[in-house]
Amino acid sequence: MSQAARRPRIVAEIPKNAREVIRVSLDEYRGYDLISVRVWANDPDRGAIPIKSGFAMRVDRLSDLVEAVKEAERIAHQEGLLAKADGATDGG
């Protein structure tokens, strides 16, 4: 059975710098459902274009990625790399 190709569903765009965003999207490639986290640059002639920085992985591993990012956030808070919710930091 033929299925029409799905367009990527953009979940979020996170500013990286003045010219780039990190785009999180859900997509399908060769029958596999994927999550893609890729850097997109603003090209004056072509608009937003993906660059090589980033990755895609099977969406069934998304829970593993979420847990890893949560652990990275916990450690970053613990080591004073991120501000606490009230704006204070752990380090001097």
Side-chain angles (χ1 to χ4, degrees):
M1 177 186 336
S2 176
Q3 179 182 0
R6 290 193 320 232
R7 289 182 170 261
R9 179 175 176 196
I10 298 170
V11 177
E13 287 190 341
I14 304 161
K16 181 178 179 199
N17 56 45
R19 298 175 316 238
E20 299 173 325
V21 296
I22 300 167
R23 181 181 287 180
V24 179
S25 62
L26 295 173
D27 204 354
E28 181 269 335
Y29 182 73
R30 293 187 179 183
Y32 292 97
D33 292 317
L34 303 174
I35 178 161
S36 174
V37 179
R38 184 145 321 274
V39 176
W40 287 66
N42 186 23
D43 181 280
D45 298 324
R46 299 184 289 169
I49 57 170
I51 61 176
K52 292 183 180 183
S53 298
F55 67 93
M57 60 186 277
R58 292 187 337 239
V59 76
D60 64 357
R61 302 302 308 264
L62 182 55
S63 294
D64 296 330
L65 178 61
V66 168
E67 289 305 312
V69 171
K70 285 180 181 179
E71 181 64 6
E73 181 184 40
R74 185 190 69 74
I75 292 169
H77 276 293
Q78 179 181 330
E79 295 183 3
L81 301 174
L82 290 175
K84 293 183 182 274
D86 64 0
T89 58
D90 286 340

